[in-house]
C-alpha cells in the first residue's frame, strides 16, 4: 500500500477517535462526523478493500454510527412525545 493510503487510514482512525471522545458535545460531534465522511470518501479510492486495517476502522465507524442513530432517535420530538404520555400522572377519578 502506498504512503497516501497509509496516511488516509491513519487520519481516519484519528478522526474516529475524536468522534468517540466528542459524544457529549453535539456540535463538535457533527463537525467531526462531516470530516469523517470526507476522509472516508477520500480513502475509498486509495485503500485496497482487502486491507486488514479496514476491519478495525469499520468496527469504530459502526460503533459511532449506532451511537449517532440512537442519539438522534432519543432526541427526536416523536420520541419525546411518546415518552411524555408515560410520564403523565395516573388519576383515580375514572368511572370504571
Amino acid at each position: 500500500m502506498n504512503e497516501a493510503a497509509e496516511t488516509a487510514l491513519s487520519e481516519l482512525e484519528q478522526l474516529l477517535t475524536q468522534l468517540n471522545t466528542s459524544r457529549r458535545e453535539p456540535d463538535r460531534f457533527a463537525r467531526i462526523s462531516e470530516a469523517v465522511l470526507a476522509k472516508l470518501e477520500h480513502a475509498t479510492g486509495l485503500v485496497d478493500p482487502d486491507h486488514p486495517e479496514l476491519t478495525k476502522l469499520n468496527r469504530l465507524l459502526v460503533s459511532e454510527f449506532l451511537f449517532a442513530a440512537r442519539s438522534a432517535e432519543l432526541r427526536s420530538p416523536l420520541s419525546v412525545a411518546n415518552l411524555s404520555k408515560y410520564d403523565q400522572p395516573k388519576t383515580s377519578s375514572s368511572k370504571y
Side-chain angles (χ1 to χ4, degrees), residues 4-68:
E6 291 288 343
T7 301
L9 287 179
S10 177
E11 291 172 352
L12 185 56
E13 184 174 8
Q14 289 173 359
L15 285 169
L16 287 169
T17 300
Q18 290 176 19
L19 195 61
N20 182 271
T21 60
S22 68
R23 284 181 171 185
R24 293 183 182 261
E25 303 171 60
D27 292 335
R28 184 170 179 245
F29 189 89
R31 281 193 312 276
I32 296 171
S33 294
E34 289 178 14
V36 165
L37 292 175
K39 184 57 67 178
L40 192 58
E41 187 175 321
H42 172 72
T44 301
L46 299 173
V47 180
D48 180 27
D50 296 330
H51 191 279
E53 183 74 11
L54 292 180
T55 302
K56 179 174 90 173
L57 293 177
N58 184 54
R59 210 171 336 122
L60 293 172
L61 186 60
V62 167
S63 174
E64 295 310 319
F65 172 76
L66 291 173
F67 170 79

Side-chain angles (χ1 to χ4, degrees), residues 61-91:
L61 186 60
V62 167
S63 174
E64 295 310 319
F65 172 76
L66 291 173
F67 170 79
R70 183 65 176 143
S71 185
E73 179 184 325
L74 290 173
R75 290 182 179 159
S76 78
L78 184 57
S79 176
V80 172
N82 286 337
L83 287 177
S84 66
K85 73 178 181 184
Y86 296 111
D87 293 337
Q88 301 296 326
K90 302 264 184 204
T91 59

